[in-house]
Amino acid sequence: MDRLAVIGLLAGPVTTSGFVPQVIKGYRSGSMSDVSLFMPLLFMVGMILWLIYGVFLGDLPVVLWNGMAIILSSVLMALKVRSARQKRKGAEPRVTR
Amino acid sequence: MDRLAVIGLLAGPVTTSGFVPQVIKGYRSGSMSDVSLFMPLLFMVGMILWLIYGVFLGDLPVVLWNGMAIILSSVLMALKVRSARQKRKGAEPRVTR
């Protein structure tokens, strides 16, 4: 395998791995206030297009790493929605009397 | 141009655009506490590999959209570092007397 093929095969997993520390951070802290929902949302739409492209070309690495990244993006979106809900709940006026 | 080529050409800009709302949010609020530094860092390393791959294959869309995404990731990293510094500064004990 030549050097270029190795670079191509490494690019997918390294890029996809970028979601992991954010998922861990969001899961542990429970707070995603500083994270925009549109980031994982747009990533996801783009990667669904890559996935379709990869399926039609029969390009396994493109399908595999985009598929993984789509799952991780949806986890980020779920964490963001959970965080926003909890924040809203906390901001509700409380009956203190 | 067939449908698959259109999908392939859309995938790059849509995915790269995902960085934009996060850059805007981080810039406006000045807070990136909930954002992991390792997310843009790993994305960046992965996309540098994609860029090298694209350059060697002479694939202009791959070079263009990964290049843009590398710039946007570095902006996110700068916003994160700025946010972490300001937080540290705010946490310093103050002489109140």
Side-chain angles (χ1 to χ4, degrees):
Chain A
M1 196 153 56
D2 61 42
R3 241 181 266 181
L4 189 61
V6 174
I7 289 172
L9 283 176
L10 275 176
V14 173
T15 309
T16 294
S17 74
F19 287 100
V20 177
Q22 187 60 54
V23 166
I24 293 171
K25 193 178 178 80
Y27 180 76
R28 278 198 190 149
S29 72
S31 173
M32 295 275 281
S33 306
D34 299 335
V35 179
S36 170
L37 179 66
F38 296 103
M39 180 183 65
L41 185 68
L42 285 167
F43 281 161
M44 202 189 207
V45 175
M47 293 179 307
I48 287 171
L49 295 174
W50 278 127
L51 188 82
I52 295 168
Y53 190 72
V55 166
F56 274 90
L57 292 183
D59 189 324
L60 187 66
V62 168
V63 173
L64 179 69
W65 297 114
N66 279 291
M68 290 272 280
I70 289 166
I71 294 166
L72 289 165
S73 299
S74 65
V75 174
L76 274 191
M77 285 167 66
L79 288 172
K80 172 65 187 178
V81 170
R82 188 187 71 169
S83 155
R85 262 195 207 144
Q86 280 173 345
K87 211 181 159 190
R88 213 162 36 233
K89 220 188 267 171
E92 266 173 11
R94 284 175 207 155
V95 181
T96 46
R97 255 187 311 159
Chain B
M1 197 152 55
D2 63 38
R3 241 180 268 180
L4 189 62
V6 174
I7 290 173
L9 282 176
L10 275 176
V14 174
T15 311
T16 294
S17 75
F19 287 101
V20 177
Q22 187 59 54
V23 165
I24 293 172
K25 194 178 177 81
Y27 180 77
R28 278 198 190 148
S29 71
S31 174
M32 296 274 283
S33 306
D34 299 334
V35 179
S36 171
L37 179 65
F38 296 103
M39 180 183 64
L41 185 68
L42 285 167
F43 281 161
M44 202 189 206
V45 175
M47 292 179 308
I48 287 171
L49 295 174
W50 278 126
L51 188 81
I52 295 169
Y53 191 71
V55 166
F56 273 92
L57 292 183
D59 190 323
L60 187 66
V62 168
V63 172
L64 180 69
W65 298 114
N66 279 290
M68 290 272 282
I70 289 165
I71 294 167
L72 289 165
S73 300
S74 64
V75 174
L76 274 191
M77 285 167 66
L79 288 172
K80 172 65 186 178
V81 169
R82 189 187 69 168
S83 155
R85 262 195 207 146
Q86 280 172 347
K87 209 180 161 189
R88 214 161 38 233
K89 219 187 270 172
E92 267 172 10
R94 286 179 205 150
V95 181
T96 47
R97 255 187 310 158

